[in-house]
Amino acid sequence: QVQLVESGGGSVQAGGSLRLSCAASGYTYDYNCMAWFRQGPGKEREGVAAIYTRGGSTYYADSVKGRFTISQDYAKNTVYLQMNSLKPEDTAMYYCAADPVPVKCAMVAGAGVSDFRYWGQGTQVTVSS
């Protein structure tokens, strides 16, 4: 059974930082696209960042480039999202997602909930001004 378990959300003031974690289990971690999505109040779920587990290539939405960094601990089957210079508009539920199709990583910026196969339950990030 595939499980993606997120942690690390919380409340922070604008300009602050948070690091999210996603622990994956129940499937072969290698050769997968691992991604972070977010869904703000009244908004659709949107792709934020992705990493291809074989080789570590990374992809970002324009809205977070230069502020967010996706990384992985291959030995722990865990993906991270380091979020710096947070803004109130970053407030959202953040979801970890996985898909075995490599090209999904390059498409993350335009992806939505129907584009990735596996999902975590989400972790809330709130940024106050």
Side-chain angles (χ1 to χ4, degrees), residues 38-44 88-93 124-126:
R38 65 186 181 186
Q39 188 165 12
K43 298 181 181 180
E44 293 188 356
E89 51 263 44
D90 294 318
T91 295
M93 184 71 79
Q124 178 67 38
V125 171
T126 302

Side-chain angles (χ1 to χ4, degrees), residues 33 37 47 50 59 101-112 115-116:
C33 177
F37 284 71
Y59 306 83
V101 177
V103 72
K104 296 292 182 74
C105 273
M107 298 167 58
V108 68
D115 294 312
F116 274 67

Side-chain angles (χ1 to χ4, degrees), residues 39-100:
Q39 188 165 12
K43 298 181 181 180
E44 293 188 356
R45 198 170 299 187
E46 61 176 359
V48 172
I51 185 167
Y52 190 59
T53 58
R54 171 61 63 165
S57 295
T58 58
Y59 306 83
Y60 297 93
D62 286 345
S63 59
V64 304
K65 279 181 182 177
R67 300 189 299 123
F68 291 10
T69 302
I70 189 170
S71 63
Q72 64 175 343
D73 185 329
Y74 191 87
K76 295 182 178 179
N77 289 3
T78 298
V79 175
Y80 304 98
L81 186 67
Q82 177 67 43
M83 305 185 294
N84 298 328
S85 302
L86 282 162
K87 305 175 181 180
E89 51 263 44
D90 294 318
T91 295
M93 184 71 79
Y94 282 72
Y95 297 90
C96 179
D99 197 281

